[in-house]
Amino acid sequence: MPILEARQVVREYPMKAETVRALSDVSVSIERGQFAAILGTSGSGKSTLLNLFGGLDRPTGGEILFDGKSLAPLSAWEMSRYRLHSVGMIFQSFNLIPTMTARENVSLALAFAGLGKTERRRRSLELLDRVGLSQRAEHLPSELSGGEQQRVSIARAIANQPQILLADEPTGNLDSNRAAEVIGLLDEMRQRDGKTIVLVTHDHELASRYATQIVRLKDGKVVEVGG
Amino acid sequence: MNFADIMALALRNLRQAKLRTALTVIGVVVGVAAIITMVSFGIGLQRNIIGQAFARLDAFTAITVVGADANDLLVLNEGRTAMDEGGADDKPVGEATPEPSPNQEETSRQLRRARRMLNDETIAEIQQLDGVRFVAPIVTFTGYTRFNDRTRFQLVAGAMPGNEPRFKTFLAGTGFSSETGDEAVVNENFLSAFTAEAFRQRRNNRGGSGGGPFQAAPNKTDAERQREAQAVIGKEIILLSPPTGQAPGAGDSIFGIPLLNFPSQTPQREATDPDESRFERRVFRIVGVLKNDGGINFNPFGNADFYLPMGQAKQLRLANLSPMERMGGALVGQSDEAYRAIELRVADPSRIKPVTEKMEQMGFRAFSVTTQLEEIERIFLIINSSLALLGGIALLVASFGISNTMIMSIRERTREIGIMKAIGGSDGEIMRIFFVEASLIGLFGGALGVAVGWGIDRIANVLANQWIARQTGQAIRYVEFFSIPWYLWTGAILFAVVISLLAAIYPARSAAKVDPIKALRYE
């Protein structure tokens, strides 16, 4: 059974004059433990698909299934629990809270899961150690390099032990060395912890180097599914 | 996310916009301080008045009974004048006026005026009633009083010999031995009003009332006070009064209505040299000096500083009736012997209600601490609510400030809210952060407002006491004008928090509705 599945997913955005169709009839299934890369140019709908997988958005038509169960009937609160426990999201612009230190940013995700203060502190330091940032725990995002910030956001994404990591152009703001480090870290998570990785990128080379499954999107449609 | 974490996040948000938070809090402070100051004044006033009632040891056995006077009888009462009622006043004692039906009684309660006159006959009748322990008319008049070689225009009251409940504590001496003795009882106010210093101060403060409801502060030791009181026992007080039986204008009347014969000059309290030839000199010896309790005294009846035996007072009152009183009384067929009010004491507090009701049935108006407390409390409920409303308006204005601050804060933190949602924060948690933020503003503002209100009260109280001391020209006992009971300050803080929460409803909901995808879109 695929851990993530999109079945005939349609996502339309009603605009003033017309309705923009970001995804039309997209069906994708991602097996557990895969490194799936969603490739496409900007405007191809790849980020839209990732947001649907991440539970940040709901499809206009079709359905998203996690572990064989549809996300459609979930309430807003249940959806927030899905985001908290089942998926971890990583963004191109890191999306760390600028007024919080690296540790506090990781800790915030643990706080939403209801962990106590001492437990949060211990866990967040452990997670930062995991991504090689134990020395930078008390630094603000502005005091960290791009690569370091992205590693903090990976630590935050895995904080509540989700089965899936969803990364939206995580290397877009990084140079090639840092990019390789970050993707390497994601791959390590997959190999060591059995996480399923869904990577949205427009970088073919990067995708072909790590991905076990490639989905190519164009104009909101799947044009190629391959390995 | 647990409450402590939400609290920590809210505090962090407030700290990040210190100036904005401070300004918003100040808005709340102003509103709460306004409520505290105004309502504490209302409650303080209420306490002072009620406290005055309680301060009287016999407060719960005392009834003041008011009879009809010219004004009452001339004014339309329940659609008729008393004179239309077939001269109820002329009915022999015992023949009670018909009782109004309970329904009528209820609706006319506020409007009801006394229909019967109080005179020696009715007093005798009341004396016989079950549960009545003491009855005495309230007999007061003003006259030129000479003491210590100084003359003042002074209020004089009559008091009963023996156990007179209005005489509470004697510093020296005793009460009257008979109704007709040439005796006088005075209190400490009287003594201090006739000192050289009091005269000088009053002269320097023209317009100063020289007393009023504020009684002199006992700034001496008890031993000193007793010594001073003892020293005046046996001293003479001279009362200059129009010759008895020959009151001014008494002879000039048309059909029994005396002609108005106003004195050419209204008497001044400080009139130093009345033309003694026109007056009869009456000499009284001080037999007792009463202790001054201090504080505020609002009782309009019979709180004189100078008492004469009842018989003497009655006689002198008639000689001192003003032409206006004389004419009014004559117009309604009231004899000069009628009293405006009487003091009544019941045997025990449980008798207050039945005796009060009986008095009303008999056609008088009766006031007791019990009835007064009820009315005072009702009046103050209105006063305090109005004051609270004024303060509440200030707080309402502040609530717009809170809304504004929250909306600004949410605009600025849209991205942060988006991040929280993306990593698993629920709408409810986001909403709670902002509600807690708002209630913290309310709580800080409320607590600070209470402190500021308290501070204003303290300063105003000192200034008010200084002002009164200047106006009255004498040192008065320190009066506490403000009162902040626990329910006022807790209520004010709670109100501030509730207002803040209401102000946060819209902002918090819009925070919860932030679309994470839009919020996280690249800048």
Side-chain angles (χ1 to χ4, degrees):
Chain A
M1 190 195 291
I3 188 153
L4 265 185
E5 196 180 353
R7 277 189 194 158
Q8 283 119 42
V9 163
V10 176
R11 183 64 175 99
E12 290 172 335
Y13 294 102
M15 293 301 191
K16 260 177 239 159
E18 52 191 334
T19 301
V20 175
R21 184 169 269 222
L23 291 175
S24 58
D25 208 21
V26 168
S27 293
V28 173
S29 66
I30 296 159
E31 294 296 329
R32 197 179 292 270
Q34 295 288 314
F35 195 123
I38 300 173
L39 279 167
T41 53
S42 78
S44 62
K46 56 191 194 308
S47 287
T48 305
L49 182 60
L50 197 78
N51 287 336
L52 291 171
F53 280 146
L56 287 176
D57 195 9
R58 289 173 192 258
T60 323
E63 57 181 350
I64 304 287
L65 290 93
F66 167 76
D67 211 9
K69 289 188 282 287
S70 174
L71 297 184
L74 297 189
S75 68
W77 188 80
E78 287 166 330
M79 206 64 145
S80 78
R81 297 304 95 174
Y82 168 75
R83 292 195 296 265
L84 184 64
H85 293 293
S86 306
V87 295
M89 292 204 75
I90 297 151
F91 304 91
Q92 177 175 4
S93 52
F94 322 129
N95 281 332
L96 298 174
I97 293 176
T99 52
M100 290 182 175
T101 64
R103 183 181 56 74
E104 284 167 344
N105 265 286
V106 177
S107 198
L108 183 63
L110 295 167
F112 280 121
L115 263 71
K117 214 169 178 175
T118 39
E119 180 63 6
R120 282 207 308 260
R121 191 182 183 86
R122 194 184 63 74
R123 278 279 289 149
S124 52
L125 288 173
E126 203 177 283
L127 287 159
L128 287 169
D129 190 41
R130 184 77 213 280
V131 297
L133 282 178
S134 48
Q135 302 305 307
R136 314 288 275 163
E138 301 305 328
H139 288 257
L140 291 172
S142 57
E143 297 160 348
L144 299 172
S145 73
E148 287 171 328
Q149 286 187 58
Q150 196 58 295
R151 280 189 278 160
V152 173
S153 89
I154 291 171
R156 181 180 65 184
I158 59 170
N160 293 312
Q161 292 156 303
Q163 297 183 54
I164 306 165
L165 288 181
L166 304 169
D168 190 354
E169 302 268 17
T171 57
N173 286 346
L174 305 178
D175 64 44
S176 54
N177 286 341
R178 303 290 150 256
E181 273 175 33
V182 163
I183 300 296
L185 190 59
L186 289 177
D187 196 46
E188 189 198 317
M189 306 258 165
R190 178 179 77 93
Q191 305 214 355
R192 247 177 56 181
D193 308 328
K195 308 260 188 232
T196 306
I197 311 291
V198 181
L199 172 73
V200 160
T201 185
H202 60 270
D203 188 338
H204 296 261
E205 201 207 319
L206 199 70
S208 55
R209 192 157 12 130
Y210 290 97
T212 58
Q213 180 185 4
I214 289 177
V215 179
R216 226 175 266 276
L217 284 179
K218 198 185 176 199
D219 298 332
K221 291 191 181 77
V222 180
V223 291
E224 187 194 334
V225 180
Chain B
M1 185 175 263
N2 62 39
F3 184 74
D5 294 331
I6 287 176
M7 182 70 100
L9 275 175
L11 276 169
R12 178 184 150 270
N13 290 345
L14 292 175
R15 269 201 303 273
Q16 268 166 24
K18 282 197 189 75
L19 181 63
R20 192 168 57 200
T21 304
L23 292 173
T24 315
V25 167
I26 286 170
V28 180
V29 167
V30 170
V32 172
I35 291 179
I36 290 285
T37 305
M38 292 201 261
V39 179
S40 67
F41 179 69
I43 295 173
L45 201 59
Q46 188 176 3
R47 289 250 165 120
N48 281 327
I49 288 172
I50 291 174
Q52 172 66 30
F54 276 88
R56 291 166 59 178
L57 285 175
D58 55 353
F60 293 99
T61 57
I63 303 175
T64 302
V65 181
V66 179
D69 79 353
N71 290 331
D72 292 338
L73 293 167
L74 288 171
V75 169
L76 282 177
N77 181 19
E78 293 166 42
R80 298 176 297 175
T81 67
M83 287 189 287
D84 290 335
E85 287 182 36
D89 311 300
D90 302 326
K91 281 184 184 169
V93 175
E95 198 176 316
T97 42
E99 284 180 38
S101 71
N103 210 7
Q104 212 180 339
E105 190 176 23
E106 204 50 51
T107 50
S108 64
R109 193 167 178 83
Q110 297 306 312
L111 290 166
R112 181 131 37 89
R113 289 162 182 277
R115 285 163 289 145
R116 268 183 90 180
M117 232 68 87
L118 284 162
N119 53 33
D120 288 331
E121 270 173 46
T122 41
I123 287 173
E125 184 190 351
I126 291 165
Q127 183 84 68
Q128 299 308 310
L129 292 175
D130 195 28
V132 174
R133 176 169 63 87
F134 171 89
V135 186
I138 293 174
V139 176
T140 58
F141 62 93
T142 41
Y144 291 106
T145 306
R146 170 158 286 191
F147 178 67
N148 249 357
D149 294 328
R150 294 183 187 86
T151 308
R152 289 193 79 203
F153 204 60
Q154 178 77 36
L155 180 71
V156 190
M160 298 302 282
N163 190 12
E164 160 66 67
R166 280 170 293 187
F167 291 170
K168 270 174 278 173
T169 322
F170 280 99
L171 276 175
T174 55
F176 300 124
S177 57
S178 77
E179 273 206 44
T180 52
D182 287 332
E183 296 168 333
V185 167
V186 297
N187 67 10
E188 288 178 288
N189 260 1
F190 181 90
L191 299 182
S192 61
F194 279 88
T195 58
E197 193 196 4
F199 266 68
R200 183 174 46 74
Q201 279 187 359
R202 275 195 299 272
R203 232 188 324 275
N204 295 342
N205 281 282
R206 289 189 304 149
S209 62
F214 300 100
Q215 297 188 356
N219 50 3
K220 303 165 190 160
T221 66
D222 279 2
E224 275 175 336
R225 289 164 75 185
Q226 274 174 14
R227 220 174 16 250
E228 281 175 21
Q230 196 62 54
V232 299
I233 295 290
K235 283 202 174 174
E236 283 182 358
I237 298 176
I238 296 160
L239 197 64
L240 298 178
S241 113
T244 27
Q246 254 191 66
D252 314 323
S253 66
I254 301 170
F255 307 122
I257 299 172
L259 288 177
L260 283 181
N261 186 11
F262 290 108
S264 55
Q265 201 186 342
T266 42
Q268 302 289 316
R269 278 201 153 207
E270 290 310 320
T272 39
D273 271 321
D275 179 7
E276 294 197 18
S277 64
R278 285 173 50 217
F279 296 94
E280 192 176 309
R281 277 170 60 100
R282 299 292 306 273
V283 180
F284 298 92
R285 276 184 199 282
I286 296 175
V287 295
V289 177
L290 293 167
K291 192 173 176 178
N292 228 356
D293 295 316
I296 302 179
N297 192 342
F298 289 102
N299 190 338
F301 293 114
N303 276 287
D305 298 331
F306 176 19
Y307 293 91
L308 294 180
M310 191 56 80
Q312 296 275 17
K314 284 179 184 171
Q315 201 186 16
L316 285 164
R317 182 183 74 100
L318 295 182
N320 280 281
L321 277 182
S322 76
M324 201 60 173
E325 288 171 312
R326 202 172 288 280
M327 187 183 73
L331 272 173
V332 295
Q334 182 183 26
S335 72
D336 288 343
E337 283 77 24
Y339 309 110
R340 182 74 179 95
I342 58 170
E343 257 326 283
L344 192 152
R345 293 291 185 282
V346 291
D348 64 85
S350 69
R351 301 289 192 153
I352 283 272
K353 211 172 153 61
V355 172
T356 303
E357 280 167 4
K358 181 71 186 160
M359 288 300 108
E360 305 240 337
Q361 278 171 25
M362 286 171 72
F364 305 114
R365 294 229 54 187
F367 304 92
S368 62
V369 168
T370 326
T371 58
Q372 278 175 11
L373 280 185
E374 279 171 16
E375 272 182 41
I376 287 170
E377 270 169 10
R378 200 167 51 238
I379 290 164
F380 273 100
L381 187 67
I382 296 166
I383 293 175
N384 291 343
S385 311
S386 320
L387 291 173
L389 191 71
L390 285 174
I393 289 167
L395 201 53
L396 193 72
V397 174
S399 78
F400 289 101
I402 296 171
S403 286
N404 184 48
T405 297
M406 303 298 291
I407 290 166
M408 290 294 289
S409 152
I410 285 156
R411 288 262 164 88
E412 275 173 17
R413 281 187 277 143
T414 303
R415 191 174 186 84
E416 197 175 306
I417 295 163
I419 294 169
M420 288 185 180
K421 284 191 156 188
I423 65 173
S426 70
D427 294 1
E429 281 164 328
I430 306 285
M431 201 139 63
R432 252 170 274 154
I433 292 170
F434 288 94
F435 273 130
V436 169
E437 220 170 291
S439 53
L440 284 174
I441 289 176
L443 194 67
F444 293 152
L448 221 60
V450 167
V452 169
W454 179 83
I456 292 171
D457 281 4
R458 302 286 30 94
I459 293 166
N461 209 49
V462 169
L463 293 179
N465 275 285
Q466 282 174 357
W467 184 81
I468 291 161
R470 258 205 317 279
Q471 291 299 307
T472 56
Q474 49 182 287
I476 60 150
R477 171 179 280 200
Y478 195 79
V479 179
E480 195 59 69
F481 288 97
F482 300 92
S483 170
I484 306 180
W486 67 270
Y487 60 82
L488 175 60
W489 64 264
T490 48
I493 293 175
L494 207 68
F495 186 51
V497 171
V498 168
I499 287 276
S500 306
L501 285 173
L502 291 176
I505 289 176
Y506 170 75
R509 285 173 72 109
S510 62
K513 277 193 213 137
V514 163
D515 178 356
I517 295 173
K518 278 186 193 149
L520 297 178
R521 220 168 257 165
Y522 307 143
E523 288 104 16

